[in-house]
Amino acid sequence: MATENEIPFNENNSGYWAEIILPLALPTVYTYAIPTHLLQHAKQGCRAEVVFGKNKKYAGIIKTIINKEPAYKTKSLLNVIDDSPLLYPQQLLLWKWISDYYMCSEGEVMAAALPANFKLSSETILIFNEDIGEDFTNLSDDEFLVAEALLIKKQLQLIEVQQVLDATHVYPVIKKLIEKNVCFIWEKLNERYKIKKESYVLLHPQFDNEESLGRILNDWKGAPKQMELLLAFLHLQKTEGTVSQTALLKKSGATAAQLKGLSEKNILIVEKRAIDRIRSLPRSVHIDFELSIEQQRCLEELHSAFIDKNVCLLHGVTGSGKTQLYIKLIEENFSNGKQVLYLLPEIALTAQIIRRLQKHFGGNIAIYHSKFNDQERIELWNKIRSGEIKILLGARSALFLPFNNLGLIIVDEEHDASYKQQDPAPRYNARDAAIFYASLFPSAKVLLGSATPSLESYFNAMQHKYALVYLAERFGGIKLPKIEIVNSRQVAQKGKVMISPQLKQAIEQALAADKQVILFQNRRGYNPYLICGTCGYIPQCSHCDVSLTLHKYSNKLHCHYCGSTYPKLITCPACGSNAWLEKNFGTEKIEEQLEQDFSKYKIARMDVDSVRGKNAHDNLIQLFEQHRLDILVGTQMVVKGLDFDNVSLVGILDADGLLSFADFRVNERGFQLMEQVSGRAGRKNAQGKVLIQAVNVNHPVIKMVAQHDYQQFYAYELQGRKEFFYPPFSRIVMITLKHKDKQLLELAAEKLAALLRLDLKEYVVGPATPVVGRLRNQYLMEVLLKLPKEPGMSLTYKKVIRNHINLLLSDKHYRAITVIADVDPA
């Protein structure tokens, strides 16, 4: 194997080579020779330690092992890190599909897929150059100290150099030593995952029998506190079985020193044991409900559908009991020894659902999402890989877990835009990737569930690409909520209507009946923007082309795009006036108004500002479930699939705002949000009520929401999509160009559009400046591609796009331009 100061080339080559995926945005995978002594350890899916570049070490994934020698000189693997593969072939095939379809590199997929601690940390080491000898006469005092230490130890870690010099800023000294050939830098990879251990207390084997134990208790001559500690141990051992040191010291009130005394007397033994960071419930399966006649019919239809199709869309109205159907299907797969992945779009949803599923499946189900720390993620990863966990609930990142025997993927709320990753790459849609992932497992099925399916999914069902099952009635026969539209234009209020008299009266009636209320406004903060009443000046972010939002809790102006904050303006910087007008309203302002109007009741707010931390979502949801809150106001967090028994009234405060975005999906998103939030009302016992406040009350989407008419909406929207060649009739690729120089960016965008038109002709739209034309001091331009859905042409089109992007970036004038291709943007 190579010494620390060598970069190995074909060292004792076994005649086999490994293609390695590195966690970098590289256009291809790299091939490394497998030394003979590593051949038996090198397996597909294992991590391998390699050198990339001059001397930078990485832990890459072995993608394939080949026996055909490459046409170029290859470096050798330094080491194989894992005894058994971290991944199965299905995960590597998923990575490849995502990189091809979403126009990114496999390294970017790897960086997103693997928990951070699997990627290892690189530690810088200084290696002494033996050829330099011991002549240090040309070195400064600090350089001499480090060189002398290197002469003795041969290598030093960065922290050791800091100790030698008694300073933290040592890089200038290291740089000089490298320039004078005294040493060179090497990178060492360190495993960051550590098994968690806890101390457990056991009785010494010599006291296993009652006679010897009785003798020591009866003839006790030690300290009374030690006797109390021993008796506490015996009680815990009898009641709990295993006794942790923490529990024992807490119960007995003793100290660690007193426990150590009993250990030294060979009465008790203290040992370290590996424990799980995530505690689980006892493993059991307990299905204690009966399906309604309508649900049973749907379950039978699902079974029939899965005979002919691998993907089925379950279109069930809000409150119809789709989750109970999911539970039945999970139980069937679990009984057959299959693994199940249950995807949800938001972390906010997982907390409520996991409690329901744990009631039925106990410790057989686990949860996985981005709020877990890196150590917890690795433990879950390993349990999925070993098959110990059969049922997993998670957000989109759970798709990358190493399942080996997957039988079912449930994509709940399949329409939700949160399934689409935005930044950074890979910009994948977990719903679509799940369908491909399931196809890699024999007989695995995908169930897409929603009360408001995405237009693309419903279109696929209508074209018989997917099966379709419709659950038309709410559980228990309860009617869908009655929807009333309030014309905000007719309300005599100054400024924009926040809570109309009709809504206020309905809230009062609901609270008087001991019911709960949800109010929905898809804008957080206090005031979405301010305007000077004298000159019309609007405070804007200095880094982005967007107005600033006033937040009352911080008393500052916030940019919701880059996160910058600014002091609240007292006087207008343009004219000196202090006559500020507050335009529109956010969730903070609604909460303030509610506290004035309904001061006797408990009110809470659910948005990204109010629910921070690992358990904040769940704590707030539980308070509302337990009726310890009366009114919940929030953004779309309150929309997505939450199930509350006691909510009788829902208020949508600004329907116009949902339908005023410059996006071809605006009607679809607006219909889905309003129908979903309406579905939170009247889920148990009695029909609920929904009030929608709007100025444009004749908008066709608002009328369709009022009738709960998805089919009419689908037909209406599909006609417009077909006319303007938008999905599902085309496939969209949005190319975004970024640069700090606006003029250079515009030239680059024009050139790229011209290059693309050479091959893609009329399918190229733009370039154009997006609605927000500058973010984080970078100007933006967009080129939109509407590509036809021709069989077998998807990869061809993407290859053309890649080639033209590379051609643009090969021009030295445009080399600094950032170009991002987003396939199927949300």
Side-chain angles (χ1 to χ4, degrees):
M1 196 164 172
T3 59
E4 284 290 296
N5 60 345
E6 292 178 303
I7 298 174
F9 280 94
N10 283 340
E11 176 196 291
N12 301 320
N13 186 18
S14 61
Y16 287 87
W17 289 262
E19 291 185 341
I20 302 292
I21 303 172
L22 297 170
L24 304 168
L26 301 170
T28 185
V29 295
Y30 284 77
T31 305
Y32 289 79
I34 304 175
T36 304
H37 70 284
L38 292 179
L39 184 58
Q40 63 177 344
H41 304 291
K43 301 182 188 76
Q44 184 187 38
C46 285
R47 288 175 300 168
E49 189 177 333
V50 299
V51 173
F52 183 73
K54 287 186 178 179
N55 57 3
K56 184 73 176 175
K57 281 189 176 182
Y58 289 95
I61 290 285
I62 299 175
K63 180 183 178 182
T64 52
I65 294 173
I66 58 176
N67 57 9
K68 183 181 178 182
E69 184 173 3
Y72 49 87
K73 195 175 182 183
T74 57
K75 297 174 185 176
S76 293
L77 299 185
L78 298 181
N79 192 18
V80 176
I81 298 167
D82 304 303
D83 294 328
S84 59
L86 282 185
L87 303 158
Y88 295 111
Q90 293 95 328
Q91 284 82 54
L92 291 171
L93 289 170
L94 175 66
W95 290 11
K96 175 63 175 165
W97 181 84
I98 287 176
S99 71
D100 288 342
Y101 186 86
Y102 292 103
M103 298 180 66
C104 61
S105 68
E106 287 177 88
E108 288 171 307
V109 183
M110 173 186 170
L114 288 187
N117 284 3
F118 273 146
K119 296 167 205 168
L120 305 189
S121 61
S122 181
E123 181 185 339
T124 302
I125 296 174
L126 296 187
I127 307 292
F128 181 63
N129 185 1
E130 298 286 357
D131 298 334
I132 201 71
E134 298 181 20
D135 182 10
F136 300 151
T137 53
N138 66 335
L139 303 183
S140 69
D141 290 346
D142 283 349
E143 292 163 11
F144 178 83
L145 287 172
V146 177
E148 193 173 45
L150 278 168
L151 178 65
I152 297 166
K153 291 195 68 178
K154 304 306 178 189
Q155 64 180 47
L156 292 173
Q157 296 177 3
L158 195 59
I159 192 168
E160 292 175 313
V161 177
Q162 292 170 334
Q163 290 168 351
V164 167
L165 297 179
D166 193 24
T168 54
H169 192 57
V170 297
Y171 294 104
V173 176
I174 292 171
K175 185 171 180 285
K176 290 289 185 184
L177 288 171
I178 293 168
E179 289 171 354
K180 295 175 182 179
N181 288 323
V182 175
C183 65
F184 54 87
I185 284 179
W186 187 249
E187 298 286 331
K188 179 182 177 183
L189 292 182
N190 291 326
E191 184 72 75
R192 289 187 285 180
Y193 173 65
K194 305 291 182 191
I195 293 172
K196 186 175 182 180
K197 293 189 174 181
E198 191 171 316
S199 295
Y200 281 82
V201 183
L202 298 88
L203 192 63
H204 196 281
Q206 65 179 318
F207 300 113
D208 274 351
N209 60 76
E210 288 188 14
E211 185 182 344
S212 57
L213 182 59
R215 194 162 48 246
I216 193 173
L217 291 173
N218 293 328
D219 300 338
W220 186 262
K221 295 184 174 62
K225 199 66 184 174
Q226 286 185 337
M227 170 61 89
E228 289 178 25
L229 180 59
L230 179 57
L231 291 172
F233 166 80
L234 294 170
H235 179 262
L236 279 174
Q237 186 184 47
K238 187 174 181 180
T239 56
E240 304 291 334
T242 55
V243 182
S244 70
Q245 178 176 313
T246 306
L248 176 59
L249 296 181
K250 185 178 179 181
K251 180 172 177 61
S252 63
T255 64
Q258 290 161 341
L259 177 59
K260 187 181 177 184
L262 286 177
S263 177
E264 289 171 349
K265 292 176 180 177
N266 289 328
I267 297 172
L268 295 178
I269 298 170
V270 180
E271 68 175 25
K272 293 276 188 184
R273 292 182 186 173
I275 63 164
D276 288 344
R277 286 179 168 82
I278 303 166
R279 302 295 171 90
S280 60
L281 298 172
R283 301 199 171 190
S284 62
V285 177
H286 178 59
I287 311 299
D288 59 353
F289 62 85
E290 293 292 329
L291 296 178
S292 68
I293 295 171
E294 180 69 5
Q295 285 176 319
Q296 187 62 42
R297 178 193 62 78
C298 283
L299 183 61
E300 290 167 5
E301 284 189 22
L302 286 170
H303 288 147
S304 300
F306 282 140
I307 294 171
D308 299 319
K309 305 284 186 185
N310 289 328
V311 183
C312 180
L313 174 62
L314 174 59
H315 181 198
V317 298
T318 56
S320 58
K322 293 185 291 293
T323 304
Q324 291 175 313
L325 290 175
Y326 300 158
I327 289 168
K328 287 290 187 181
L329 291 171
I330 292 170
E331 180 194 18
E332 291 168 10
N333 279 270
F334 180 79
S335 300
N336 292 328
K338 296 287 188 179
Q339 290 177 302
V340 178
L341 173 59
Y342 188 143
L343 289 176
L344 286 165
E346 292 274 5
I347 296 169
L349 284 177
T350 57
Q352 191 182 46
I353 293 290
I354 193 68
R355 289 197 300 276
R356 295 183 177 182
L357 295 182
Q358 281 174 340
K359 176 186 173 186
H360 301 297
F361 299 104
N364 291 305
I365 188 166
I367 185 171
Y368 184 91
H369 54 60
S370 58
K371 294 280 178 153
F372 281 132
N373 65 43
D374 292 328
Q375 307 281 27
E376 290 170 335
R377 289 192 202 189
I378 285 183
E379 287 189 2
L380 277 166
W381 179 283
N382 289 331
K383 286 181 178 181
I384 289 288
R385 182 168 60 101
S386 67
E388 182 182 341
I389 289 176
K390 289 286 191 289
I391 309 165
L392 188 97
L393 177 73
R396 64 173 180 261
S397 58
L399 188 70
F400 292 116
L401 289 167
F403 294 92
N404 189 35
N405 191 22
L406 198 57
L408 176 66
I409 300 179
I410 296 168
V411 186
D412 199 11
E413 310 296 341
E414 65 84 27
H415 65 275
D416 200 292
S418 298
Y419 280 122
K420 181 73 161 74
Q421 164 75 9
Q422 301 297 333
D423 281 310
R427 297 172 181 84
Y428 67 101
N429 188 310
R431 176 197 64 206
D432 300 337
I435 292 170
F436 175 79
Y437 192 29
S439 73
L440 302 175
F441 296 86
S443 71
K445 307 298 180 184
V446 179
L447 180 60
L448 308 176
S450 178
T452 54
S454 65
L455 219 70
E456 289 88 338
S457 292
Y458 203 79
F459 180 79
N460 284 335
M462 292 292 99
Q463 299 297 308
H464 305 293
K465 185 177 178 181
Y466 303 161
L468 175 64
V469 174
Y470 185 47
L471 184 53
E473 68 175 41
R474 281 189 151 188
F475 187 78
I478 296 168
K479 291 182 180 179
L480 286 167
K482 181 182 177 183
I483 297 180
E484 295 179 12
I485 300 172
V486 177
N487 190 335
S488 300
R489 206 187 292 274
Q490 296 175 356
V491 176
Q493 278 187 21
K494 186 179 178 182
K496 189 156 189 172
V497 175
M498 186 161 53
I499 299 175
S500 63
Q502 296 96 316
L503 179 57
K504 186 176 180 182
Q505 183 183 12
I507 294 172
E508 289 169 348
Q509 290 171 351
L511 295 176
D514 199 29
K515 295 293 184 180
Q516 292 170 289
V517 177
I518 291 177
L519 299 181
F520 169 60
Q521 166 67 342
N522 211 24
R523 288 180 182 271
R524 60 191 177 97
Y526 190 78
N527 284 115
Y529 69 96
L530 303 174
I531 184 169
C532 175
T534 303
C535 70
Y537 171 82
I538 297 174
Q540 289 203 321
C541 177
S542 58
H543 310 296
C544 311
D545 287 345
V546 293
S547 59
L548 297 171
T549 298
L550 176 64
H551 282 248
K552 192 178 181 187
Y553 81 93
S554 62
N555 200 33
K556 289 182 178 179
L557 296 168
H558 289 239
C559 174
H560 287 176
Y561 286 82
C562 71
S564 300
T565 58
Y566 302 82
K568 182 181 177 182
L569 294 175
I570 306 300
T571 58
C572 174
C575 69
S577 168
N578 59 3
W580 291 105
L581 301 177
E582 297 178 347
K583 293 292 183 179
N584 216 323
F585 51 88
T587 49
E588 278 189 343
K589 192 170 185 178
I590 299 163
E591 183 183 29
E592 180 185 81
Q593 185 65 48
L594 291 169
E595 285 169 347
Q596 291 175 13
D597 294 344
F598 303 98
S599 55
K600 294 189 298 181
Y601 297 94
K602 293 187 176 71
I603 299 158
R605 174 167 51 91
M606 183 187 279
D607 55 32
V608 294
D609 300 314
S610 64
V611 284
R612 300 178 184 273
K614 194 170 184 176
N615 299 311
H617 286 104
D618 193 24
N619 293 339
L620 185 54
I621 288 166
Q622 287 194 61
L623 286 173
F624 200 67
E625 279 181 329
Q626 295 160 8
H627 204 165
R628 291 160 66 186
L629 296 171
D630 299 298
I631 305 174
L632 182 63
V633 56
T635 57
Q636 56 185 304
M637 282 185 179
V638 303
V639 173
K640 301 181 178 182
L642 295 173
D643 188 5
F644 302 115
D645 293 352
N646 202 46
V647 174
S648 68
L649 175 68
V650 165
I652 298 172
L653 305 189
D654 181 20
D656 304 290
L658 300 174
L659 299 167
S660 59
F661 294 100
D663 187 284
F664 77 92
R665 296 188 202 274
V666 64
N667 287 340
E668 183 180 6
R669 296 276 184 261
F671 181 91
Q672 288 165 345
L673 281 170
M674 286 188 278
E675 183 63 24
Q676 288 283 342
V677 75
S678 299
R680 302 316 105 203
R683 296 175 75 91
K684 296 282 169 70
N685 303 322
Q687 184 182 21
K689 184 177 180 180
V690 179
L691 265 68
I692 300 177
Q693 296 180 167
V695 172
N696 186 8
V697 294
N698 292 318
H699 195 293
V701 172
I702 294 176
K703 289 185 173 181
M704 293 170 203
V705 171
Q707 299 299 319
H708 301 288
D709 195 340
Y710 177 84
Q711 273 74 24
Q712 185 186 355
F713 166 75
Y714 170 76
Y716 166 80
E717 186 65 12
L718 198 68
Q719 184 180 352
R721 299 280 184 94
K722 187 174 184 179
E723 183 179 349
F724 294 102
F725 197 50
Y726 276 112
F729 299 100
S730 65
R731 177 167 284 114
I732 283 185
V733 179
M734 178 67 80
I735 300 175
T736 304
L737 297 90
K738 300 180 182 180
H739 197 265
K740 61 184 178 181
D741 185 329
K742 186 177 182 181
Q743 189 174 3
L744 179 66
L745 178 71
E746 288 173 349
L747 290 172
E750 289 288 355
K751 181 171 181 179
L752 180 59
L755 288 170
L756 289 166
R757 282 193 178 94
L758 293 175
D759 292 302
L760 301 177
K761 314 292 186 201
E762 71 274 11
Y763 303 137
V764 181
V765 181
T769 304
V771 176
V772 179
R774 183 172 62 106
L775 289 175
R776 298 179 179 87
N777 292 319
Q778 297 262 312
Y779 289 97
L780 278 68
M781 292 290 286
E782 291 178 343
V783 178
L784 178 67
L785 304 176
K786 295 181 184 178
L787 304 174
K789 287 187 168 182
E790 298 174 9
M793 288 298 293
S794 177
L795 289 179
T796 304
Y797 286 134
K798 286 165 189 172
K799 187 176 180 181
V800 168
I801 296 166
R802 283 182 195 269
N803 289 342
H804 286 311
I805 290 172
N806 292 336
L807 188 59
L808 174 78
L809 297 178
S810 66
D811 187 326
K812 64 180 181 180
H813 297 101
Y814 305 125
R815 205 163 286 159
I817 302 284
T818 300
V819 183
I820 295 168
D822 189 5
V823 181
D824 301 338

